[in-house]
mmCIF file of all heavy atoms in Angstrom:
data_model
loop_
_atom_site.group_PDB
_atom_site.id
_atom_site.type_symbol
_atom_site.label_atom_id
_atom_site.label_comp_id
_atom_site.label_asym_id
_atom_site.label_seq_id
_atom_site.Cartn_x
_atom_site.Cartn_y
_atom_site.Cartn_z
ATOM 1 N N LEU T 293 -179.598 -18.081 43.119
ATOM 2 C CA LEU T 293 -180.212 -17.746 44.399
ATOM 3 C C LEU T 293 -179.160 -17.964 45.478
ATOM 4 O O LEU T 293 -178.498 -19.009 45.486
ATOM 5 C CB LEU T 293 -181.415 -18.645 44.680
ATOM 6 C CG LEU T 293 -182.586 -18.575 43.719
ATOM 7 C CD1 LEU T 293 -183.561 -19.712 43.990
ATOM 8 C CD2 LEU T 293 -183.285 -17.238 43.845
ATOM 9 N N PHE T 294 -179.001 -16.999 46.361
ATOM 10 C CA PHE T 294 -178.037 -17.109 47.445
ATOM 11 C C PHE T 294 -178.727 -16.954 48.785
ATOM 12 O O PHE T 294 -179.532 -16.039 48.971
ATOM 13 C CB PHE T 294 -177.004 -15.973 47.377
ATOM 14 C CG PHE T 294 -175.952 -16.108 46.330
ATOM 15 C CD1 PHE T 294 -176.121 -15.518 45.087
ATOM 16 C CD2 PHE T 294 -174.770 -16.786 46.587
ATOM 17 C CE1 PHE T 294 -175.132 -15.601 44.111
ATOM 18 C CE2 PHE T 294 -173.782 -16.884 45.625
ATOM 19 C CZ PHE T 294 -173.966 -16.287 44.381
ATOM 20 N N ASP T 295 -178.381 -17.814 49.725
ATOM 21 C CA ASP T 295 -178.641 -17.536 51.125
ATOM 22 C C ASP T 295 -177.643 -16.448 51.486
ATOM 23 O O ASP T 295 -176.628 -16.272 50.808
ATOM 24 C CB ASP T 295 -178.398 -18.802 51.960
ATOM 25 C CG ASP T 295 -178.493 -18.541 53.449
ATOM 26 O OD1 ASP T 295 -179.527 -18.028 53.896
ATOM 27 O OD2 ASP T 295 -177.510 -18.846 54.154
ATOM 28 N N CYS T 326 -180.426 -13.338 43.172
ATOM 29 C CA CYS T 326 -181.487 -13.072 44.134
ATOM 30 C C CYS T 326 -181.056 -13.623 45.492
ATOM 31 O O CYS T 326 -180.623 -14.770 45.586
ATOM 32 C CB CYS T 326 -182.793 -13.724 43.689
ATOM 33 S SG CYS T 326 -184.204 -13.362 44.759
ATOM 34 N N ILE T 327 -181.157 -12.782 46.509
ATOM 35 C CA ILE T 327 -180.920 -13.200 47.893
ATOM 36 C C ILE T 327 -182.222 -13.799 48.401
ATOM 37 O O ILE T 327 -183.285 -13.196 48.258
ATOM 38 C CB ILE T 327 -180.529 -11.996 48.777
ATOM 39 C CG1 ILE T 327 -179.288 -11.290 48.243
ATOM 40 C CG2 ILE T 327 -180.373 -12.417 50.230
ATOM 41 C CD1 ILE T 327 -178.050 -12.131 48.213
ATOM 42 N N ILE T 328 -182.146 -14.970 48.992
ATOM 43 C CA ILE T 328 -183.335 -15.611 49.543
ATOM 44 C C ILE T 328 -183.057 -15.938 50.998
ATOM 45 O O ILE T 328 -182.094 -16.635 51.313
ATOM 46 C CB ILE T 328 -183.743 -16.849 48.720
ATOM 47 C CG1 ILE T 328 -184.922 -17.567 49.351
ATOM 48 C CG2 ILE T 328 -182.607 -17.761 48.444
ATOM 49 C CD1 ILE T 328 -185.493 -18.686 48.509
ATOM 50 N N SER T 329 -183.878 -15.368 51.881
ATOM 51 C CA SER T 329 -183.596 -15.477 53.309
ATOM 52 C C SER T 329 -184.889 -15.626 54.107
ATOM 53 O O SER T 329 -185.928 -15.089 53.729
ATOM 54 C CB SER T 329 -182.856 -14.217 53.775
ATOM 55 O OG SER T 329 -182.657 -14.237 55.168
ATOM 56 N N VAL T 348 -185.756 -11.999 48.329
ATOM 57 C CA VAL T 348 -186.976 -12.554 48.900
ATOM 58 C C VAL T 348 -186.716 -12.662 50.394
ATOM 59 O O VAL T 348 -185.755 -13.309 50.812
ATOM 60 C CB VAL T 348 -187.304 -13.952 48.320
ATOM 61 C CG1 VAL T 348 -188.535 -14.545 48.999
ATOM 62 C CG2 VAL T 348 -187.475 -13.891 46.811
ATOM 63 N N ALA T 351 -188.717 -16.048 53.424
ATOM 64 C CA ALA T 351 -188.861 -16.998 52.312
ATOM 65 C C ALA T 351 -189.526 -18.311 52.706
ATOM 66 O O ALA T 351 -190.008 -19.041 51.843
ATOM 67 C CB ALA T 351 -187.492 -17.274 51.691
ATOM 68 N N LYS T 353 -188.038 -20.973 53.936
ATOM 69 C CA LYS T 353 -187.213 -22.158 53.661
ATOM 70 C C LYS T 353 -187.398 -23.157 54.799
ATOM 71 O O LYS T 353 -187.438 -22.742 55.949
ATOM 72 C CB LYS T 353 -185.728 -21.761 53.548
ATOM 73 C CG LYS T 353 -185.417 -20.862 52.387
ATOM 74 C CD LYS T 353 -183.931 -20.572 52.242
ATOM 75 C CE LYS T 353 -183.409 -19.642 53.294
ATOM 76 N NZ LYS T 353 -181.999 -19.286 53.122
ATOM 77 N N GLY T 358 -190.373 -19.610 48.381
ATOM 78 C CA GLY T 358 -189.401 -18.523 48.276
ATOM 79 C C GLY T 358 -188.441 -18.701 47.109
ATOM 80 O O GLY T 358 -188.053 -17.729 46.460
ATOM 81 N N TYR T 359 -188.078 -19.932 46.833
ATOM 82 C CA TYR T 359 -187.193 -20.229 45.706
ATOM 83 C C TYR T 359 -187.900 -19.908 44.385
ATOM 84 O O TYR T 359 -187.312 -19.330 43.479
ATOM 85 C CB TYR T 359 -186.773 -21.703 45.727
ATOM 86 C CG TYR T 359 -185.985 -22.082 46.951
ATOM 87 C CD1 TYR T 359 -186.624 -22.406 48.147
ATOM 88 C CD2 TYR T 359 -184.600 -22.129 46.923
ATOM 89 C CE1 TYR T 359 -185.909 -22.754 49.276
ATOM 90 C CE2 TYR T 359 -183.869 -22.484 48.047
ATOM 91 C CZ TYR T 359 -184.531 -22.784 49.224
ATOM 92 O OH TYR T 359 -183.821 -23.132 50.345
ATOM 93 N N PHE T 375 -178.596 -22.691 43.320
ATOM 94 C CA PHE T 375 -178.788 -22.177 44.675
ATOM 95 C C PHE T 375 -177.512 -22.430 45.459
ATOM 96 O O PHE T 375 -176.940 -23.518 45.393
ATOM 97 C CB PHE T 375 -179.962 -22.854 45.397
ATOM 98 C CG PHE T 375 -180.030 -22.409 46.828
ATOM 99 C CD1 PHE T 375 -180.597 -21.194 47.152
ATOM 100 C CD2 PHE T 375 -179.456 -23.162 47.831
ATOM 101 C CE1 PHE T 375 -180.597 -20.745 48.464
ATOM 102 C CE2 PHE T 375 -179.449 -22.730 49.138
ATOM 103 C CZ PHE T 375 -180.027 -21.514 49.462
#
Side-chain angles (χ1 to χ4, degrees):
L293 298 169
F294 284 94
D295 173 55
C326 184
I327 302 298
I328 176 173
S329 175
V348 176
K353 295 184 287 184
Y359 298 83
F375 174 80

